[in-house]
Amino acid sequence: MPVSRRADLDWLRVLAFGLLIAYHAGMAWSGWNWHLTSTESIDCLREGMRFVNRWRMPLIFLVSGAAIMLALGSRTPGAFTRDRVKRLLVPLAFGMIVLVPPQIYLERLYRGQFTGSVFDWLPQAFQGGPYPNGNVSWHHLWFLAYVLVLTFAALPGLLWARSPQGRRALDKAGHLAARFGLQWLMALPIAASIQWLAPISYNTNGLIGDWHGLVHYGALLLYGAFLFGSSDMLQVLNRQRWLSFVVGVAAYGALYVMFLEGTVRPTIAEADRPIFALLSAVNTMAWLFAITGFANRHLTRRPAFLGEATEAVFPFYILHQTVTVIVVYWLLQIGVPPIAGFILAVLATFIGTSAIYFGLVRPLWFLRPLFGLKVADSRSIVMRRQPG
């Protein structure tokens, strides 16, 4: 979404959203309840998804926080606000009106809650109130709503952070954190949210009532702005990348043995919640530190395709789940075996989303704003292709 010329940040953005697309393609066979759920599950797939769940969305919010700070640059608050509305609110509204309804229709059809063609269903596409009881939802696009709200909530702090006084304070904080290993204290707000806010939260990914989600992702957004804005912090994460990796492995191992092993969805007893919260938070931050450190160390080059991939990430994210649901619906209807179904769902999602993006979204100027792209970019593409 934002303009960033940091190779490591762009690599992380592309890889994180690519993983998200593959993750959603596997949800039907995970054994967890999803929009379309197979009666057969792939246990090893679920365990792999359970592992990446601990840092998958946190990584996306971390990267988004860094990118938001870079996008803010020297813009005025008004210009930045208008840009965020165009880049986030417009695609969210478009997605809810055009891209999410086909997902809900196929879910209703698959579960026997509706019979008839999509044309029969269209008159009630937005009736009944919020999903799941009704048909109004943002489904996978919840991320856009959260980033939009959290960006505006954090804007005063971000504006202060770019001021001379703010830069001096953050430089000093980054230096002290790097010198004394204080970055590990970042796990404490995450643990506190799991401990005290998660039990009273409801409406996960629904914004209103999701107190834990707002605090959790809001903290990660700010962490991203801080970590990628401090050369001292990036250097220490680079140096300590293997240490962070070991801490992540150990924390996840303890978390798995104590709470996750042998369960589809773990139930945490109230007496065990403090240790669960602390292990979860340390595990999440350790993997984020390790991934950031390895990216900063090794993903420093910018091959020709990275710029194109970075631009394509956001439209791919907006489009992919509708393609996935359509593909999975037909795979389940014809009874494709689970492992083959998962592989085909991943391949078909990438191929179908690529076809829509390269065939329609990228070249057509009037579609680009609906997917968070700048209209001016399409004109420059045409100009670059012209001889001379």
Side-chain angles (χ1 to χ4, degrees):
M1 292 178 287
V3 209
S4 163
R5 297 281 64 91
R6 286 193 62 103
D8 55 351
L9 190 58
D10 283 348
W11 272 112
L12 286 177
R13 186 183 299 130
V14 171
L15 294 174
F17 277 99
L19 177 62
L20 177 68
I21 293 171
Y23 181 93
H24 283 157
M27 278 298 293
W29 296 276
S30 66
W32 297 323
N33 187 40
W34 196 57
H35 309 301
L36 306 176
T37 305
S38 172
T39 55
E40 301 177 274
S41 63
I42 309 172
D43 292 346
C44 61
L45 174 64
R46 180 177 63 248
E47 296 310 308
M49 293 169 67
R50 195 201 300 271
F51 165 67
V52 301
N53 251 348
R54 316 309 300 183
W55 48 264
R56 173 180 60 89
M57 287 308 301
L59 177 61
I60 289 178
F61 276 93
L62 189 84
V63 170
S64 297
I68 287 167
M69 192 64 190
L70 289 169
L72 177 59
S74 59
R75 293 180 183 180
T76 65
F80 179 73
T81 298
R82 289 191 295 274
D83 178 74
R84 294 301 91 181
V85 167
K86 287 191 294 185
R87 298 292 189 95
L88 296 171
L89 186 58
V90 170
L92 175 60
F94 170 76
M96 291 179 67
I97 294 171
V98 176
L99 299 177
V100 172
Q103 299 180 42
I104 299 176
Y105 165 69
L106 290 177
E107 177 182 344
R108 303 295 187 219
L109 210 59
Y110 182 75
R111 298 189 178 193
Q113 298 168 335
F114 181 81
T115 56
S117 71
V118 67
F119 299 104
D120 297 327
W121 185 77
L122 281 178
Q124 57 182 284
F126 302 100
Q127 294 179 358
Y131 176 90
N133 296 323
N135 295 325
V136 179
S137 176
W138 47 44
H139 270 36
H140 67 294
L141 301 178
W142 66 268
F143 168 75
L144 302 185
Y146 276 61
V147 170
L148 185 66
V149 169
L150 292 172
T151 299
F152 290 150
L155 188 55
L158 297 176
L159 292 171
W160 170 82
R162 77 174 185 182
S163 68
Q165 180 185 5
R167 285 199 300 269
R168 286 193 299 269
L170 291 177
D171 286 344
K172 185 176 181 180
H175 178 72
L176 290 174
R179 183 177 180 183
F180 297 106
L182 301 180
Q183 71 271 18
W184 292 102
L185 295 178
M186 291 180 176
L188 295 181
I190 305 296
S193 181
I194 296 172
Q195 170 67 24
W196 290 302
L197 292 181
I200 64 172
S201 297
Y202 59 95
N203 197 24
T204 302
N205 298 344
L207 201 62
I208 298 172
D210 187 14
W211 317 121
H212 167 58
L214 288 168
V215 170
H216 182 205
Y217 294 131
L220 290 163
L221 210 69
L222 295 176
Y223 289 172
F226 173 63
L227 291 176
F228 281 90
S230 169
S231 59
D232 288 328
M233 287 307 308
L234 288 177
Q235 287 172 18
V236 79
L237 295 183
N238 186 320
R239 291 196 305 269
Q240 296 182 4
R241 62 196 184 280
W242 283 109
L243 171 63
S244 300
F245 176 82
V246 170
V247 173
V249 170
Y252 185 73
L255 197 64
Y256 188 83
V257 170
M258 294 174 66
F259 299 104
L260 307 178
E261 188 175 15
T263 67
V264 176
R265 288 190 180 275
T267 301
I268 311 302
E270 194 60 33
D272 296 331
R273 182 165 289 279
I275 185 64
F276 174 78
L278 187 59
L279 277 174
S280 295
V282 170
N283 174 72
T284 295
M285 294 312 303
W287 286 108
L288 294 181
F289 291 157
I291 292 167
T292 302
F294 278 105
N296 184 256
R297 180 62 170 258
H298 300 291
L299 300 180
T300 57
R301 295 187 179 182
R302 181 179 293 279
F305 75 87
L306 183 59
E308 297 287 347
T310 303
E311 183 187 49
V313 157
F314 196 41
F316 262 62
Y317 157 71
I318 293 171
L319 284 166
H320 83 276
Q321 188 163 292
T322 300
V323 177
T324 297
V325 168
I326 294 171
V327 170
V328 167
Y329 175 82
W330 288 109
L331 290 173
L332 295 179
Q333 288 293 102
I334 62 178
V336 176
I339 293 177
F342 167 62
I343 295 171
L344 288 172
V346 173
L347 293 175
T349 296
F350 275 99
I351 293 171
T353 306
S354 298
I356 297 170
Y357 171 70
F358 288 107
L360 295 174
V361 175
R362 187 172 181 267
L364 298 180
W365 65 268
F366 56 89
L367 289 181
R368 291 177 64 89
L370 302 177
F371 293 87
L373 299 176
K374 293 181 178 178
V375 175
D377 291 345
S378 64
R379 295 169 184 164
S380 63
I381 290 171
V382 173
M383 291 176 64
R384 286 199 303 268
R385 288 177 178 173
Q386 291 176 349

